[in-house]
């Protein structure tokens, strides 16, 4: 069994996922990441799997390899997510399906498989990604926000189902962060959104890492089923 | 041909693991007719979850391939494949056979 703690992070090719992988490699974790395409080099210790997070066979194979190579899993961070911002009358059903598959089904599948590996040691931490778009009920984000509302509810229920196995399940709900996810959103719309936050600025990677770090602390073992929204939402 | 004895041994080992975690629980006999799920089961719902996860893990290790026991097909069968040690053994053997035939 690996001496280092092992963390699985989804969506590590770019953006927040990549930054999280760098952060936790530097903080003593062996990070196992995944995305549909290969990750850029520069992460160590790091293992990458190319897969779609809703491909059940590929995901089972990935966790099988984690068990085989590392013999343990300590943390899962379900970062992978996609968004599409448009009025519901202009949103193709295929887009809604794609968003729900990645954000909800992908999160469920990774939680299920991770819990199987965490269960023998009676210890594990799962951190999901919600969004402030859900509690703010943002117009133009029906598919994305509702999929993340499902993730928040999933987090609360899995927290109860997995508590007897020693696994905590929490979520961080970021404000907009300057990544590809919001690249296509008009600046004026972004400003309107930021004005609805108590603290009216874009989120930074460090804001998110701070919350994830808190959930991972050994002393947070009595904290589960919580969704922490950033920016005072 | 999949060796049923190897599968049974894994199920027994998973039952031992569950028993160790629940020393005060009812003693579970390691025989084919032992009921694991439904009426007459000595395992509670968490016990079944723990058992299935342990069996999946041990099967993966023993046969060097991932195996997911839960499926719509399994959950919709009139007699659950998780019902007894014997039905679970048959079910795992059939999954491994299917898998080995691609």
């Amino acid at each position: 069994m690996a001496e280092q703690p092992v963390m699985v992070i989804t969506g590590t090719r770019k953006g927040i996922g990549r930054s999280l992988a760098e952060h936790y490699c530097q903080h003593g974790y062996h990070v196992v990441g995944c995305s549909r395409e290969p990750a850029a080099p520069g992460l160590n210790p790091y293992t990458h799997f190319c897969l779609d997070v809703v491909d059940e066979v590929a995901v089972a194979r990935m966790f099988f390899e984690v068990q085989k190579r590392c013999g343990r899993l300590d943390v899962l961070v379900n970062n992978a997510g996609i968004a599409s911002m448009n009025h519901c009358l202009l949103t193709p059903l295929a887009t809604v399906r794609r968003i729900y598959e990645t954000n909800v089904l992908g999160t469920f599948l990774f939680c299920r498989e991770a819990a199987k590996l965490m269960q023998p040691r009676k210890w594990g931490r799962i951190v999901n990604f919600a969004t402030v778009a859900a509690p703010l009920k943002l117009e133009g984000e029906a598919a994305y926000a509702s999929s993340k509302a499902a993730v928040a509810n999933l987090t609360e229920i899995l927290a109860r189902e997995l508590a007897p196995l020693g696994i905590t399940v929490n979520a961080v709900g970021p404000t907009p962060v300057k990544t590809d996810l919001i690249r296509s959103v008009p600046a004026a719309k972004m400003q309107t959104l930021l004005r609805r936050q108590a603290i009216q600025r874009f989120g930074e990677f460090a804001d998110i890492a701070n919350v994830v770090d808190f959930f991972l602390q050994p002393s947070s073992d009595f904290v589960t089923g919580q969704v922490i929204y950033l920016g005072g939402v | 041909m999949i060796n049923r004895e190897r599968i049974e041994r894994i199920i027994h080992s998973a039952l031992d693991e569950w028993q160790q975690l629940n020393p005060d629980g009812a003693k579970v006999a390691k025989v084919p007719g032992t009921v694991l799920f439904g009426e007459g089961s000595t395992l509670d719902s968490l016990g079944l979850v723990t058992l299935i996860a342990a069996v999946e893990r041990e099967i993966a290790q023993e046969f060097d391939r991932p195996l997911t026991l839960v499926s719509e097909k399994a959950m919709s069968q009139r007699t659950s494949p998780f019902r007894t040690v014997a039905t679970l053994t048959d079910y795992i053997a059939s999954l491994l056979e299917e898998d080995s035939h691609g």
Side-chain angles (χ1 to χ4, degrees):
Chain A
M1 186 187 292
E3 284 182 17
Q4 271 183 309
V6 178
M7 174 184 293
V8 166
I9 307 175
T10 62
T12 47
R13 192 173 70 83
K14 58 183 181 179
I16 293 166
R18 170 77 188 194
S19 300
L20 285 168
E22 288 169 1
H23 177 74
Y24 288 109
C25 280
Q26 288 164 9
H27 283 78
Y29 283 88
H30 180 118
V31 175
V32 179
C34 64
S35 59
R36 272 174 284 204
E37 290 168 46
L43 295 170
N44 186 39
Y46 179 80
T47 308
H48 192 82
F49 290 81
C50 288
L51 53 78
D52 185 335
V53 293
V54 289
D55 182 339
E56 189 174 12
V57 173
V59 172
R61 168 65 61 178
M62 174 183 157
F63 280 94
F64 170 71
E65 292 295 335
V66 170
Q67 174 65 25
K68 203 171 164 181
R69 296 181 199 183
C70 308
R72 64 188 281 178
L73 177 63
D74 301 80
V75 178
L76 165 67
V77 179
N78 268 313
N79 158 77
I82 55 174
S84 172
M85 287 151 203
N86 225 333
H87 192 281
C88 68
L89 300 189
L90 301 175
T91 304
L93 188 61
T95 303
V96 181
R97 186 172 287 123
R98 203 164 44 85
I99 290 171
Y100 268 70
E101 282 186 349
T102 299
N103 297 357
V104 185
L105 272 61
T107 298
F108 179 89
L109 180 57
F110 270 77
C111 287
R112 191 188 77 187
E113 294 304 312
K116 289 176 188 173
L117 294 200
M118 292 169 174
Q119 176 251 329
R121 294 173 60 234
K122 283 262 180 189
W123 201 93
R125 295 275 191 268
I126 295 176
V127 182
N128 293 329
F129 267 63
T131 172
V132 297
L136 289 178
K137 298 167 180 58
L138 296 179
E139 304 95 324
E141 300 198 17
Y144 176 65
S146 61
S147 75
K148 290 296 191 176
V151 169
N153 197 242
L154 184 65
T155 299
E156 292 162 352
I157 294 172
L158 293 189
R160 290 168 181 270
E161 290 193 4
L162 299 180
L165 306 180
I167 300 166
T168 67
V169 190
N170 293 289
V172 55
T175 63
V177 178
K178 287 179 178 170
T179 64
D180 285 355
L181 205 66
I182 61 163
R183 192 181 45 194
S184 59
V185 182
K189 188 169 171 53
M190 270 294 115
Q191 286 307 317
T192 307
L193 196 163
L194 293 183
R195 277 197 291 273
R196 295 176 70 176
Q197 299 173 190
I199 303 169
Q200 297 172 1
R201 66 165 172 83
F202 278 98
E204 303 285 343
F205 165 72
D207 300 318
I208 297 167
N210 180 46
V211 176
V212 180
D213 284 345
F214 165 70
F215 287 140
L216 303 193
Q217 286 173 14
S219 54
S220 294
D221 62 356
F222 202 45
V223 179
T224 194
Q226 304 304 305
V227 183
I228 294 188
Y229 292 107
L230 291 166
V233 171
Chain B
M1 192 66 179
I2 300 296
N3 185 335
R4 287 175 53 88
E5 281 177 16
R6 285 167 78 189
I7 300 170
E8 272 179 354
R9 201 171 59 241
I10 287 167
I11 297 172
H12 293 168
S13 158
L15 284 171
D16 283 340
E17 188 180 318
W18 180 81
Q19 202 85 70
Q20 279 168 14
L21 290 169
N22 298 275
D24 300 330
K27 185 85 180 152
V28 182
K30 293 185 284 186
V31 294
T34 295
V35 179
L36 304 173
F37 174 66
E39 198 179 341
S41 171
T42 40
L43 300 178
D44 57 12
S45 57
L46 186 63
L48 183 69
V49 167
T50 308
L51 179 82
I52 296 301
V55 169
E56 278 191 3
R57 203 173 50 248
E58 294 298 320
I59 289 282
Q61 201 172 341
E62 175 91 10
F63 293 89
D64 199 31
R65 69 181 95 163
L67 186 74
T68 302
L69 293 177
V70 291
S71 69
E72 277 192 293
K73 191 178 158 193
M75 300 321 229
S76 63
Q77 286 179 28
R78 188 173 293 178
T79 303
S80 169
F82 306 127
R83 176 76 180 141
T84 64
V85 170
T87 59
L88 183 57
T89 305
D90 290 342
Y91 175 58
I92 293 170
S94 70
L95 288 180
L96 290 171
E97 285 285 348
E98 274 175 33
D99 198 31
S100 64
H101 291 131

